[in-house]
């Protein structure tokens, strides 16, 4: 990997991680990722904006060969994939000062043991001059972590947006395109990382729109030379708009829950409701997260196992709750052998989601007439609720 010039005196010096397949021991990365670091040379001062994951520090240091002086290292966000290589950079550039938010200072000391005397904190809206270039710091708490900030390079009209507008995508091109793979990676990233902070991010985006931005350079994935598309997609995702879609994550053990899921799917489609199904034995949880970005309803399907839901269902439900999607309605379907507390358990797991719970449908053993009648009633209720709440669109936004 070599430095890539973005504009005069501005380079991408980060690393593309083609092989990484899991982030935070949790998030699947089917397309790898990149750790974007940028070097900005002003007429008087030189700044490194973020670093890379410690596993790829050699790539960063190789990209900095020939750079004799770095005056400042900006740490937008203390997480290791961006700040983890700061200690290595400081070994070479001993006089460089690390610039971060006040909250970031504590985290850098705690997580990376960076010496306190080498850290400068900046207030929201504060600027530094590089001579012929000015950097403005914009605090953006909960653009993943509470200490996060972004920077606006004023003269070049570039927003260095940290995790916001990012993608876990390894690619040879520096710039984004409207290629489906690029769009899907952006939505996947939003779903997995940003969705829990939807309302906060909405406010940040509104604020950033007051700045002159010709280019967005995030900390993961491609740089957006024409930022309109990525901003439009994010505005759609953080909005309150819902699609006429039911998400159906499920597990079946002996086929009874499968029959219920099949029946409900057909009944919903017949009534004009779109369905996205996820057999949790084989589901990529990133795909489930993406579907949750704008779906109106979730119906969770599970057999009863030792008095509760199947463990894979418990895990998916826990994740759904943590991601705080804007779901409006929820229900539960499934089969049991002799009884249990599955409904109470699942309901307790989705306390973050302010969805109206529609009457669950549980059957003993194989579903019969009563069970299918219950599913028909549930499908009708969902279709009616969607219509009454004007949730009729299944319109696609980029990345859907
Ligand atoms: Fe890419 Fe929140 O770190």
């Amino acid at each position: 990997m070599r430095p890539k010039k973005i504009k005069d005196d501005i380079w991408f010096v980060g690393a593309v991680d083609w092989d990484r397949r899991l982030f935070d021991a949790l998030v699947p990365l089917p397309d790898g990722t990149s750790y974007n670091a940028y070097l900005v040379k002003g007429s008087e001062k030189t700044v490194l904006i973020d670093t890379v994951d410690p596993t790829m520090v050699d790539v960063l240091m190789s990209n900095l060969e020939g750079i004799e002086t770095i005056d400042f290292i900006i740490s937008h966000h203390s997480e290791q994939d961006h700040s983890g290589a700061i200690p290595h950079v400081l070994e070479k550039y001993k006089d460089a000062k690390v610039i971060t938010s006040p909250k970031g200072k504590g985290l850098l000391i705690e997580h990376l043991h960076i010496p306190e005397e080498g850290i400068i904190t900046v207030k929201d809206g504060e600027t530094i001059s590089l001579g012929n270039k000015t950097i403005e710091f914009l605090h953006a708490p909960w653009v993943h972590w509470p200490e996060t900030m972004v920077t606006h390079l004023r003269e070049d009209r570039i927003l260095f947006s940290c995790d916001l507008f990012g993608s876990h995508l390894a690619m040879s091109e520096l710039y984004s395109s409207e290629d489906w793979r690029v769009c899907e990676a952006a939505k996947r990233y939003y779903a997995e990382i940003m969705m829990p902070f939807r309302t906060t991010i909405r406010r940040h985006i509104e604020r950033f729109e007051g700045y002159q931005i010709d280019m967005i350079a995030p900390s993961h994935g491609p740089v957006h030379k024409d930022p309109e598309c990525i901003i439009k997609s994010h505005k759609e995702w953080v909005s309150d708009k819902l699609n006429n879609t039911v998400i159906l994550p499920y597990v079946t053990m002996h086929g009874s829950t499968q029959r219920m899921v099949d029946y409900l799917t057909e009944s919903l489609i017949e009534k004009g409701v779109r369905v996205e199904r996820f057999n949790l034995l084989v589901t990529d949880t990133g795909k489930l997260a993406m579907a949750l970005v704008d779906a109106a309803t979730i119906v969770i399907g599970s057999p009863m196992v030792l008095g509760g839901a199947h463990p894979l269902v418990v895990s998916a439900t826990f994740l759904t709750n943590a991601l705080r999607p804007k779901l409006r309605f929820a229900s539960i379907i499934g089969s049991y052998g002799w009884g249990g507390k599955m409904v109470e358990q699942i309901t307790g797991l989705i306390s973050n989601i302010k969805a109206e719970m529609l009457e669950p449908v549980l059957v003993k053993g194989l579903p019969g007439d009563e069970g299918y009648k219950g599913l028909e009633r549930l499908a009708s209720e969902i279709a009616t609720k969607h219509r009454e709440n004007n949730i009729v669109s299944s319109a696609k936004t980029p990345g859907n």
Side-chain angles (χ1 to χ4, degrees):
M1 170 102 223
R2 295 177 183 162
K4 291 177 179 169
K5 185 173 175 179
I6 292 177
K7 290 181 78 173
D8 283 347
D9 299 322
I10 305 170
W11 291 272
F12 173 98
V13 291
V16 177
D17 195 339
W18 298 92
D19 299 326
R20 189 161 180 178
R21 287 293 173 269
L22 200 59
F23 201 84
D24 290 346
L26 176 68
V27 176
L29 303 181
D31 301 307
T33 190
S34 69
Y35 316 109
N36 300 355
Y38 304 93
L39 189 79
V40 181
K41 286 184 86 170
S43 56
E44 294 172 14
K45 303 281 185 191
T46 297
V47 169
L48 177 63
I49 299 181
D50 289 324
T51 65
V52 298
D53 191 86
T55 54
M56 303 206 82
V57 67
D58 290 349
V59 177
L60 173 66
M61 297 317 287
S62 160
N63 286 338
L64 294 176
E65 266 176 28
I67 304 297
E68 287 181 9
T69 304
I70 288 177
D71 298 285
F72 303 113
I73 304 166
I74 293 174
S75 169
H76 282 136
H77 172 25
S78 310
E79 197 168 9
Q80 285 82 347
D81 51 326
H82 308 296
S83 293
I86 290 176
H88 301 270
V89 177
L90 286 172
E91 282 174 21
K92 178 174 177 187
Y93 301 98
K94 295 188 189 315
D95 295 329
K97 295 290 181 196
V98 178
I99 300 180
T100 188
S101 64
K103 278 201 174 122
K105 178 177 177 178
L107 290 174
L108 289 177
I109 293 169
E110 288 156 3
H111 286 263
L112 297 165
H113 293 183
I114 294 174
E116 184 174 0
E117 58 275 17
I119 301 175
I120 298 171
T121 61
V122 283
K123 297 191 187 80
D124 184 39
E126 198 170 332
T127 59
I128 59 164
S129 172
L130 308 182
N132 60 342
K133 294 182 189 296
T134 313
I135 292 182
E136 181 174 351
F137 300 93
L138 305 171
H139 288 191
W142 300 112
V143 170
H144 202 195
W145 282 12
E147 88 298 9
T148 311
M149 62 179 187
V150 305
T151 46
H152 183 242
L153 187 57
R154 196 174 280 168
E155 292 75 8
D156 295 279
R157 300 183 176 189
I158 300 176
L159 182 73
F160 293 95
S161 60
C162 193
D163 279 339
L164 186 61
F165 304 123
S167 318
H168 281 312
L169 180 61
M171 55 188 271
S172 50
E173 297 84 1
L174 177 62
Y175 297 110
S176 60
S177 65
E178 291 194 22
D179 178 281
W180 69 268
R181 204 169 70 101
V182 174
C183 296
E184 181 171 291
K187 186 169 188 181
R188 176 186 279 268
Y189 189 87
Y190 168 80
E192 292 169 335
I193 310 291
M194 294 294 158
M195 186 156 57
F197 316 111
R198 180 175 72 92
T199 51
T200 305
I201 288 170
R202 187 158 62 196
R203 288 199 301 276
H204 290 317
I205 292 175
E206 282 166 10
R207 181 185 183 196
F208 301 155
E209 282 194 304
Y211 285 77
Q212 294 184 311
I213 298 171
D214 291 345
M215 190 184 293
I216 291 178
S219 299
H220 296 287
V223 172
H224 305 285
K225 200 156 47 169
D226 175 9
E228 193 181 331
C229 179
I230 194 75
I231 292 174
K232 184 173 169 228
S233 298
H234 276 73
K235 284 170 80 171
E236 186 90 12
W237 300 332
V238 299
S239 76
D240 292 330
K241 193 174 150 211
L242 292 161
N243 282 348
N244 179 27
T245 299
V246 170
I247 304 297
L248 236 170
Y250 71 98
V251 170
T252 192
M253 286 167 66
H254 300 294
S256 295
T257 305
Q258 181 75 54
R259 291 186 193 201
M260 297 177 78
V261 166
D262 289 345
Y263 187 94
L264 184 65
T265 301
E266 290 306 317
S267 185
L268 286 165
I269 292 171
E270 199 176 82
K271 292 170 178 51
V273 179
R274 197 168 156 264
V275 177
E276 288 197 44
R277 282 171 48 157
F278 298 91
N279 179 341
L280 296 173
L281 283 182
V282 292
T283 287
D284 166 352
T285 51
K287 292 259 186 198
L288 173 61
M290 275 193 280
L292 287 166
V293 168
D294 32 34
T297 299
I298 188 168
V299 177
I300 297 166
S302 179
M304 206 90 80
V305 186
L306 298 173
H310 190 284
L312 288 175
V313 171
V314 172
S315 173
T317 305
F318 179 88
L319 184 67
T320 299
N321 188 58
L323 291 175
R324 298 173 182 260
K326 52 189 174 185
L327 292 160
R328 186 81 60 83
F329 307 103
S331 192
I332 299 161
I333 63 172
S335 167
Y336 62 93
W338 48 89
K341 301 269 185 197
M342 182 171 88
V343 168
E344 293 86 338
Q345 181 191 30
I346 292 177
T347 306
L349 283 170
I350 53 174
S351 57
N352 285 344
I353 297 168
K354 307 301 176 202
E356 178 185 341
M357 183 59 81
L358 308 180
E359 190 183 339
V361 181
L362 292 192
V363 302
K364 189 169 187 182
L366 275 176
D369 288 349
E370 278 307 302
Y372 289 126
K373 262 191 222 165
L375 293 168
E376 195 62 32
R377 187 261 314 145
L378 178 58
S380 295
E381 193 178 2
I382 291 170
T384 303
K385 292 276 185 188
H386 283 200
R387 270 197 310 278
E388 285 174 354
N389 286 276
N390 209 22
I391 304 167
V392 289
S393 162
S394 53
K396 305 279 186 190
T397 58
N400 279 54

